[in-house]
Amino acid sequence: MLRMSADHLDWVEGGVAAQLGDLDAAGLRRRLRLLQRDSVGLVTLDGGTVVNFSSNDYLGLAVSDQLKQAMVEAVSRHGVGSGASRLVCGNMECHEALEAALAEFKGTEAALSFSTGHAVAVGVLPALCGAGDTIVLDKLSHASLIDGARLSGATLRIFPHNNLEKLERMLVAIRAKNAKGRILVVTESVFSMDGDAAPLAALVELKDRHGAWLLVDEAHAFGILGPQGRGLVAGLRLEKRVELQMGTLSKAAGVSGGYVAASREVIDLLINRARSLIYSTAPPPAVAATAAAAVAMIGGGEGDRRRERLWANRAHLLSLLPELDADLVMAAIVPVMIGGEREAVAAAEQLMEAGFFAPAIRYPTVARSQARLRVTLSALHELVEIEGLVGCLRRHMV
């Protein structure tokens, strides 16, 4: 029988237990919830049936019959695993077909797919930047982008959210100090916790003026914004001026994985230097094939119909909450500000009791005392469900 040493027991009881106690005291301890899908619009969560207003499956493709069938057929044809990394023997026809579809969809020369969106960020940033370079991130950039920037060894700078005046002063100072180093500006097109958008047109002008590159994370715009759901970059016709477009296939596409779309040379370099690609088993071939089917759906008539339904749901929610600034809610994310962490958790629990799941988002995901309920809309929601949610929300809005 395995016996733990006294030192190990002391470390667990005095270290781990104490840290968990601190999280409890601050109202920040999290736990995994067991979810089961009951029907198209309902889920069972911790034993209760609720309407899910927390999913990033904005178009409802994760439960679509078309993608279910695509997955079944792909498993039958390709099996369930890739067997190795892409550079060993795991690179299959469906991976390359997905990347060709993504490149065409995003208006770039090439694309590269990864197992997750997080793997994209921690692979791409260190592959392109290092010592002597500078990565400048919007303060509200996703944690994966911050992780990737830290791993790169480049100098890391943060500019206040969407503050282009401050960003320009930083770029001037960086260029004056280091004329030869590369500068990469990093932002999201739609920010995951606030639902607002980056001023991409102005950002492009700014980075061009100072000789920088721009990486735009389209995770929450892919499939939703722009022509055929091709994202905010395409919506602003900036495909040829944004060096790096990254995103995920786990939100509007309804599957899993991540991608980066860029020039052919950049993609070739990433194949050789992105560690999260080189040292990871390739995504299951059936997942890649299903993701390609999702991209085709998003860009076709079915995607148009689902986006129309999503935007109708968004308009209905905002009409019931006129105090929210509709101009700031660019996609399907509607933050309902609460403030305190404990208060946000209590509000989420009361919503659960009423039959609605909208999670409490707390530090460190957002700043302290900026806790909120994060409401996400789907093409699958019914108007009556939105009306019921709003009735409950009004009791908690600050």
Side-chain angles (χ1 to χ4, degrees):
M1 185 175 71
L2 179 66
R3 296 182 181 274
M4 290 187 290
S5 68
D7 287 343
H8 181 79
L9 287 172
D10 288 344
W11 182 79
V12 171
E13 295 175 0
V16 174
Q19 291 179 63
L20 289 172
D22 291 341
L23 291 172
D24 281 327
L28 296 176
R29 186 169 179 175
R30 293 158 169 82
R31 63 186 179 90
L32 296 175
R33 297 175 180 269
L34 179 62
L35 181 144
Q36 295 176 310
R37 289 192 176 107
D38 287 354
S39 66
V40 170
L42 299 176
V43 298
T44 296
L45 195 66
D46 292 346
T49 300
V50 294
V51 182
N52 190 357
F53 281 97
S54 71
S55 174
N56 295 321
D57 182 22
Y58 301 126
L59 299 180
L61 293 186
V63 293
S64 70
D65 291 337
Q66 297 97 315
L67 290 194
K68 289 179 186 178
Q69 185 61 34
M71 179 71 80
V72 170
E73 292 176 359
V75 168
S76 178
R77 178 180 178 185
H78 301 290
V80 296
S82 295
S85 68
R86 298 279 300 275
L87 287 173
V88 178
C89 65
N91 189 49
M92 300 185 181
E93 179 184 359
C94 48
H95 296 119
E96 297 198 353
L98 169 61
E99 290 162 353
L102 286 167
E104 181 178 3
F105 191 69
K106 297 298 293 179
T108 60
E109 291 180 353
L112 188 63
S113 61
F114 291 71
S115 57
T116 66
H118 192 282
V120 178
V122 299
V124 169
L125 291 173
L128 296 180
C129 297
D133 300 325
T134 305
I135 300 176
V136 190
L137 297 101
D138 186 289
K139 185 176 181 179
L140 297 187
S141 293
H142 192 268
S144 64
L145 296 168
I146 298 171
D147 291 346
R150 287 173 172 167
L151 285 171
S152 73
T155 299
L156 176 61
R157 300 291 301 276
I158 305 293
F159 66 95
H161 179 50
N162 282 346
N163 188 329
L164 297 191
E165 292 182 3
K166 177 63 174 178
L167 173 59
E168 181 156 35
R169 291 197 296 270
M170 293 173 68
L171 293 177
V172 169
I174 292 166
R175 272 285 169 244
K177 185 177 180 179
N178 184 4
K180 295 183 179 180
R182 288 166 289 189
I183 302 174
L184 177 61
V185 178
V186 176
T187 189
E188 299 180 35
S189 56
V190 173
F191 289 86
S192 60
M193 292 299 123
D194 289 70
D196 61 338
L200 288 185
L203 266 173
V204 166
E205 294 292 338
L206 190 58
K207 64 92 180 175
D208 283 348
R209 192 154 61 243
H210 295 281
W213 275 23
L214 178 63
L215 182 151
V216 178
D217 184 353
E218 292 258 63
H220 296 277
F222 181 90
I224 299 175
L225 298 179
Q228 297 83 49
R230 293 192 289 117
L232 186 57
V233 172
L236 297 172
R237 298 181 180 179
L238 296 172
E239 302 100 312
K240 305 303 181 186
R241 301 182 64 189
V242 173
E243 287 79 11
L244 300 159
Q245 298 181 59
M246 65 166 280
T248 176
L249 299 165
S250 63
K251 296 179 172 59
V255 194
S256 67
Y259 69 87
V260 60
S263 69
R264 179 72 262 173
E265 285 188 339
V266 166
I267 295 302
D268 285 346
L269 180 62
L270 293 176
I271 290 170
N272 286 274
R273 295 189 60 180
R275 293 170 67 86
S276 57
L277 175 91
I278 296 169
Y279 299 108
S280 292
T281 297
V287 171
T290 307
V295 173
M297 284 182 66
I298 287 170
E302 181 64 20
D304 289 339
R305 286 187 288 274
R306 289 177 181 253
R307 277 187 293 277
E308 183 178 355
R309 178 71 181 273
L310 173 64
W311 291 121
N313 284 342
R314 173 184 176 274
H316 189 57
L317 176 69
L318 294 176
S319 72
L320 298 173
L321 294 172
E323 56 268 49
L324 295 180
D325 189 343
D327 292 335
L328 295 181
V329 182
M330 289 299 297
I333 303 164
V334 181
V336 178
M337 302 304 298
I338 302 296
E341 282 75 17
R342 290 185 177 278
E343 291 80 0
V345 172
E349 290 175 349
Q350 291 176 33
L351 283 179
M352 281 279 286
E353 293 172 1
F356 303 99
F357 180 47
I361 304 298
R362 299 162 281 166
Y363 178 85
T365 306
V366 295
R368 291 189 185 275
S369 301
Q370 292 291 311
R372 67 203 60 188
L373 301 177
R374 182 179 181 268
V375 175
T376 53
L377 293 167
S378 167
L380 302 183
H381 285 130
E382 301 291 341
L383 297 184
V384 66
E385 295 170 339
I386 295 171
E387 291 161 3
L389 173 72
V390 170
C392 295
L393 285 175
R394 285 205 168 277
R395 294 197 290 270
H396 303 288
M397 294 180 67
V398 296

